[in-house]
Amino acid sequence: MTGAILDIADLTILQRGPPATPVLRGVSLSVQPGRVHGLVGESGAGKSTLARAVLGILPPALRVAGGTIRFAGDDLLRIGAGGHGGDIALIPQDPLSALNPSRLIREQICDGMRHQRGMPRRAALARARELLGEVQIDDPERVLASYPHQLSGGMRQRVLIAAAFATEPRLVIADEPTTALDVTVQKQILRLIRAMQHRHGTAMIFVAHDLGVVAQICDEVSVLYAGLRVDHAPAAELFARPGHAYTAALIACSPRHDRPESSLEPVPDAVFEALKAEIAAHDASAGLGP
Amino acid sequence: MTLPLVTARGIELSLARPATGFAPAPPPLKVLRGIDFHVHRGETVGLVGESGSGKTTLGRCLLRLIEPDAGRITFGGRDITHLPAAELRPLRARMQMIFQDPLSSLNPRKTVRALLMTPLQLHQPGRASEARCKALMAEVGLPAALLDRYPHQLSGGQRQRVGIARALAVEPDFVVADEIVSGLDVSTQAQVLRLLKSLAERLGLSMVFISHDLSVIRHICDRVVVMNAGEVVEEGPCDAVFAAPRDGYTRRLIAAIPLPEPDPGWLDRDEPEKEEGERGMKIEGCTAFVSGANRGVGAAFVEALAARGAAKIYAAARDPARLPAPPARVEVVPVRLDVTDPAQVAAAAEAAGDVTLLINNAGINRQNRIGGDRAAAEAEMATNYFGLIEMARAFAPALRANGGGMINMLSILARVTLPMMGSLCASKAAAYAATQGLRAELAGDGVQVLAVLPGAIDTEMSRDFPPPKMPPAEVANAALDALEAGAWEVYPGEMAEGLRQGLAADPIAVQKDLMKYL
């Protein structure tokens, strides 16, 4: 697609064998500047693998077997994500393990600006202060001089959002950024992420398993199952008229407090059978499978 | 109605916190603050709240996995609060827990068969058999072939089914399920919820379903109990609570749940608690009438109302000349008023037809013992009770027409009796009862009636009380905060709050304590 900041084409990733097992099966997707692209699917669907591939941090057990990841015109698989240091940032799931427990928040927010953007210490610190204001931290000085364990979960997530936007990245990957948070905090954090993304005009990949979260923050959505992209549509379209039986089934089994009479139908076996057939057909045509 | 299977009354639990660095140890953390809770036979009760609300701790108290500091827990009518382990053991089979994370709660070195056999051998040795294991597996929808597997060889959903089978193996009456679907994918979650619901119905289980997810609670529970910071903030049948949540925190929780349906305004919509006119009255712009405004809490109310942007304040006192200087930036109208004089009350109400908030603060204390001076008792009753009734009656038409609120300044003494001021307590108790009646009468017209029951306040009237005493300004602000939050009763200060909790847990003990003031 033209104008896309990120263009993934036919990406196949295998877990090293033997036998090598596909983790991503020929996934294509593109993200436009200023848009939020949601990745949903259940555990094992390949959402996080896709995010890691873009970040260039695939674990050693996985290898790219085919396809391209084009970022701002460059093939990331050839030049490595390091070539775009500071242009792609991550908001991780677990804010505690993503922060270094033995370093001050101040140092950790400034890292990207200092090392990837070459900003002088003073300027980086001034910008860090501004960023903490942007993520609605009332007393930036105290937070800057804190260690991660001295902050609450919601506070840490705010710090990580500030750090992610510090280098003015062109793409932010949010990997289940609110899964560990209470619902009221989740809403605040989602609002912040959306506000930051708007203000900076950043493109975003938003990985989530909660369809509710995806519905509220994403412009378009891709549904993954076992590494295959089975559905893709603008968010409004996807939830109103799901294009795939699996998407419809996922929506139907999400409990809703406003619809207690709905019976939470588990995904019907027929849908899984159809998915299996789809995967077999894909693997056969791509020369993957047995 | 039959007695509940499980009851908890006035449950309190504190945790000691370690000292950090050179600072002295902080005071113990109150995890549960006077919880009342019950589960009927065959009922599924949802226990919901955010992290740190105390829901898991309460669940463990109910099963007596933790012994509470105060309060009483009964199971099948028997008090188990302090039952020693040996006496508790026979009851253990009747109460079981299903844990959040089956991978860490199931012994990784045991096969599914061994995991199911353990509780059977412990509680029902005669029935510990291969056939029973297979029946249990069938019950939770797992193939018998999985009996030889280890927990790590199962999927998340299968593991949680084993957790359920293990809890049900000994045929309990009561099960506490703690966040048992929170780690599962939605499709697996739907299966496990279905299974649990059908098992609970078929086996007639009483269940406490602990979850942070109100949507899940809505689907599986008959009744819901909402906890926040160690307290129950709301409780009721699911249908009622979800249709019309009364508590601000409950409303906030429900509003924070994202639904799988794009709603462009959702992210930017503020929590309903902050929306005006929702339930609590707004002080800004109101026209208030404050009786007894010449000193103490009354004077503090005038200041606090002005600070919160009230448009106009009628400051009433027996002798308006003794009113303090009015605060700036607000119109203050002095009013001569003795609430025991019906003519003066009627005239005041007539003159203040634009009032939207009536603060009944006038009150007297004659330091009169029970069976003491009858004239003193009658004087207290005339001001504290009949005065309040007279005021409410006179101002009701204006409040009904304008909409708004009424704050009745009572005292914790409305709910306990100090022998050294017995007639005062009686007058406050009568005023408290009157306030409940007024609330019922005026609620239909959109008038919010708030009872304020503080402990000792640092004023002339409480000069005989031992400290700590609350500054009047704090009491006034607590009352206005409560009004704005939509509360109908508030107990400002630690003394009043402590007594309230004590009364909920053990009223006799509270009265005994108060005897010491003789």
Side-chain angles (χ1 to χ4, degrees):
Chain A
M1 207 184 285
T2 52
I5 181 80
L6 179 73
D7 213 336
I8 299 173
D10 206 22
L11 184 65
T12 295
I13 292 179
L14 302 179
Q15 174 148 29
R16 294 175 203 275
T21 44
V23 180
L24 278 188
R25 297 176 141 101
V27 171
S28 301
L29 67 83
S30 59
V31 187
Q32 311 293 319
R35 307 281 283 172
V36 181
H37 193 117
L39 285 185
V40 296
E42 304 195 276
S43 32
K47 324 182 279 290
S48 291
T49 301
L50 183 60
R52 284 162 176 231
V54 176
L55 286 161
I57 51 168
L58 279 180
L62 301 184
R63 71 178 177 88
V64 177
T68 55
I69 304 177
R70 299 193 78 82
F71 177 77
D74 295 326
D75 188 346
L76 285 189
L77 293 175
R78 256 182 331 108
I79 67 162
H84 273 282
D87 279 343
I88 305 178
L90 171 73
I91 305 176
Q93 172 171 5
D94 177 359
L96 191 54
S97 60
L99 289 164
N100 184 334
S102 63
R103 297 179 69 217
L104 290 171
I105 296 296
R106 181 171 53 219
E107 300 164 19
Q108 305 195 49
I109 294 187
C110 291
D111 273 348
M113 290 185 276
R114 305 252 300 127
H115 302 306
Q116 292 173 321
R117 296 295 190 221
M119 280 171 80
R121 182 186 300 274
R122 270 245 180 104
L125 195 56
R127 181 74 188 117
R129 219 168 265 137
E130 276 174 30
L131 284 163
L132 289 186
E134 281 190 42
V135 295
Q136 286 163 21
I137 287 178
D138 294 333
D139 45 355
E141 291 308 325
R142 181 184 69 85
V143 172
L144 286 172
S146 299
Y147 288 96
H149 76 271
Q150 295 171 309
L151 305 177
S152 71
M155 227 28 167
R156 284 185 211 124
Q157 199 54 280
R158 280 164 201 258
V159 165
L160 284 166
I161 293 168
F165 283 90
T167 55
E168 293 291 335
R170 301 166 77 183
L171 174 70
V172 166
I173 296 177
D175 188 4
E176 304 251 9
T178 60
T179 304
L181 303 174
D182 279 326
V183 279
T184 52
V185 183
Q186 165 172 281
K187 184 168 178 181
Q188 294 163 7
I189 295 295
L190 288 176
R191 193 187 290 191
L192 260 181
I193 291 177
R194 183 81 202 203
M196 292 293 275
Q197 181 263 336
H198 271 196
R199 190 176 309 139
H200 298 260
T202 320
M204 185 177 270
I205 289 183
F206 196 102
V207 178
H209 69 278
D210 183 335
L211 290 178
V213 169
V214 169
Q216 304 314 330
I217 199 162
C218 298
D219 300 307
E220 51 189 310
V221 183
S222 290
V223 181
L224 300 183
Y225 179 81
L228 195 67
R229 182 163 88 153
V230 297
D231 203 353
H232 167 237
E237 176 76 20
L238 186 107
F239 285 95
R241 286 169 295 278
H244 196 283
Y246 177 63
T247 313
L250 279 185
I251 295 171
C253 68
S254 301
R256 294 180 60 148
H257 64 82
D258 61 333
R259 297 204 187 140
E261 69 290 346
S262 69
S263 58
L264 293 192
E265 287 302 323
V267 178
D269 289 339
V271 172
F272 284 123
E273 293 304 322
L275 283 168
K276 261 186 209 158
E278 236 173 284
I279 287 165
H282 172 271
D283 287 1
S285 71
L288 285 170
Chain B
M1 199 171 205
T2 53
L3 285 173
L5 176 66
V6 182
T7 69
R9 287 200 63 79
I11 300 301
E12 283 179 30
L13 186 74
S14 297
L15 289 181
R17 284 184 286 188
T20 50
F22 296 103
L29 181 71
K30 287 184 184 164
V31 184
L32 300 176
R33 304 161 179 255
I35 304 270
D36 294 333
F37 186 88
H38 66 271
V39 187
H40 282 285
R41 285 178 199 277
E43 184 186 40
T44 299
V45 181
L47 195 51
V48 72
E50 297 190 291
S51 35
S53 62
K55 53 189 193 301
T56 291
T57 309
L58 177 61
R60 291 177 182 220
C61 278
L62 295 174
L63 294 176
R64 258 303 308 280
L65 297 175
I66 303 175
E67 198 172 330
D69 297 338
R72 221 165 82 94
I73 301 164
T74 68
F75 180 79
R78 183 164 175 204
D79 190 336
I80 61 164
T81 322
H82 304 292
L83 221 54
E87 287 178 57
L88 211 48
R89 201 161 299 130
L91 291 175
R92 286 273 176 233
R94 298 180 52 197
M95 40 167 96
Q96 287 288 312
M97 181 143 184
I98 312 172
F99 293 92
Q100 172 170 6
D101 177 6
L103 196 53
S104 67
S105 62
L106 298 175
N107 186 337
R109 298 174 60 178
K110 288 190 170 183
T111 60
V112 172
R113 177 181 291 103
L115 287 167
L116 293 180
M117 282 294 222
T118 310
L120 285 172
Q121 282 158 348
L122 195 64
H123 293 293
Q124 302 179 338
R127 300 189 59 199
S129 67
E130 180 72 13
R132 177 87 178 116
C133 285
K134 284 185 172 157
L136 278 168
M137 292 292 272
E139 188 115 83
V140 295
L142 289 177
L146 295 186
L147 279 171
D148 294 312
R149 300 274 182 93
Y150 289 90
H152 74 271
Q153 296 172 309
L154 304 176
S155 72
Q158 288 171 337
R159 275 198 289 269
Q160 201 49 285
R161 283 166 193 263
V162 170
I164 294 172
R166 194 165 195 260
L168 297 183
V170 293
E171 300 177 316
D173 303 319
F174 177 49
V175 171
V176 173
D178 188 1
E179 295 277 13
I180 64 166
V181 295
S182 59
L184 303 177
D185 281 325
V186 274
S187 63
T188 318
Q189 170 179 293
Q191 291 168 4
V192 171
L193 286 177
R194 257 196 170 193
L195 170 70
L196 201 63
K197 199 167 179 173
S198 72
L199 284 174
E201 275 166 21
R202 200 155 48 76
L203 305 176
L205 283 180
S206 306
M207 180 155 63
V208 171
F209 189 90
I210 301 172
S211 177
H212 67 282
D213 187 335
L214 275 165
S215 289
V216 170
I217 295 254
R218 180 76 166 117
H219 277 272
I220 195 161
C221 300
D222 306 309
R223 198 153 55 81
V224 61
V225 172
V226 184
M227 285 184 70
N228 184 22
E231 286 182 292
V232 171
V233 295
E234 179 152 9
E235 192 253 280
C238 270
D239 288 340
V241 171
F242 280 87
R246 279 176 289 120
D247 182 76
Y249 178 73
T250 313
R251 287 202 297 280
R252 217 144 49 88
L253 270 188
I254 294 177
I257 302 169
L259 294 173
E261 177 180 290
D263 173 356
W266 180 81
L267 257 188
D268 299 314
R269 211 155 35 233
D270 258 320
E271 284 71 33
E273 192 179 54
K274 288 172 191 154
E275 277 173 24
E276 68 177 272
E278 243 266 329
R279 245 186 74 84
M281 180 183 165
K282 208 172 150 208
I283 304 292
E284 197 184 338
C286 80
T287 298
F289 188 106
V290 185
S291 69
N294 52 319
R295 58 178 184 174
V297 179
F301 264 120
V302 173
E303 289 288 340
L305 285 164
R308 287 168 187 242
K312 184 174 174 186
I313 303 169
Y314 293 96
R318 278 191 184 139
D319 180 2
R322 294 175 65 185
L323 285 167
R329 283 203 307 261
V330 62
E331 184 189 352
V332 177
V333 183
V335 179
R336 176 180 301 278
L337 175 69
D338 176 350
V339 296
T340 61
D341 180 346
Q344 280 192 28
V345 170
E350 177 85 43
D354 55 348
V355 75
T356 56
L357 172 61
L358 173 64
I359 302 183
N360 284 311
N361 170 65
I364 57 167
N365 174 8
R366 289 287 159 84
Q367 315 285 332
N368 190 23
R369 295 178 159 272
I370 285 177
D373 178 4
R374 176 165 172 155
E378 282 178 353
E380 285 174 339
M381 205 55 139
T383 302
N384 300 347
Y385 174 65
F386 287 110
L388 182 141
I389 298 255
E390 198 66 44
M391 287 290 288
R393 188 183 298 159
F395 279 82
L399 291 176
R400 281 196 161 118
N402 306 336
M406 184 190 302
I407 296 179
N408 289 347
M409 277 306 300
L410 308 169
S411 159
I412 188 67
L413 299 180
R415 302 210 40 208
V416 295
T417 299
L418 290 185
M420 66 183 182
M421 39 186 79
S423 60
L424 171 70
C425 297
S427 70
K428 291 289 184 188
Y432 181 57
T435 304
Q436 317 268 29
L438 285 168
R439 179 178 306 120
E441 204 174 311
L442 295 175
D445 294 307
V447 179
Q448 188 189 342
V449 178
L450 171 72
V452 185
L453 295 89
I457 307 173
D458 197 3
T459 61
E460 182 62 13
M461 242 172 83
S462 305
R463 61 178 180 271
D464 298 335
F465 276 90
K469 300 184 194 186
M470 272 184 97
E474 269 181 37
V475 179
N477 277 305
L480 295 179
D481 283 344
L483 190 76
E484 288 201 304
W488 54 277
E489 205 167 276
V490 63
Y491 293 78
E494 281 198 3
M495 174 188 174
E497 181 57 28
L499 280 170
R500 182 189 73 78
Q501 288 179 16
L503 287 168
D506 192 349
I508 303 295
V510 171
Q511 287 296 348
K512 277 186 185 161
D513 266 356
L514 292 172
M515 293 292 279
K516 293 174 197 154
Y517 280 99
L518 248 172

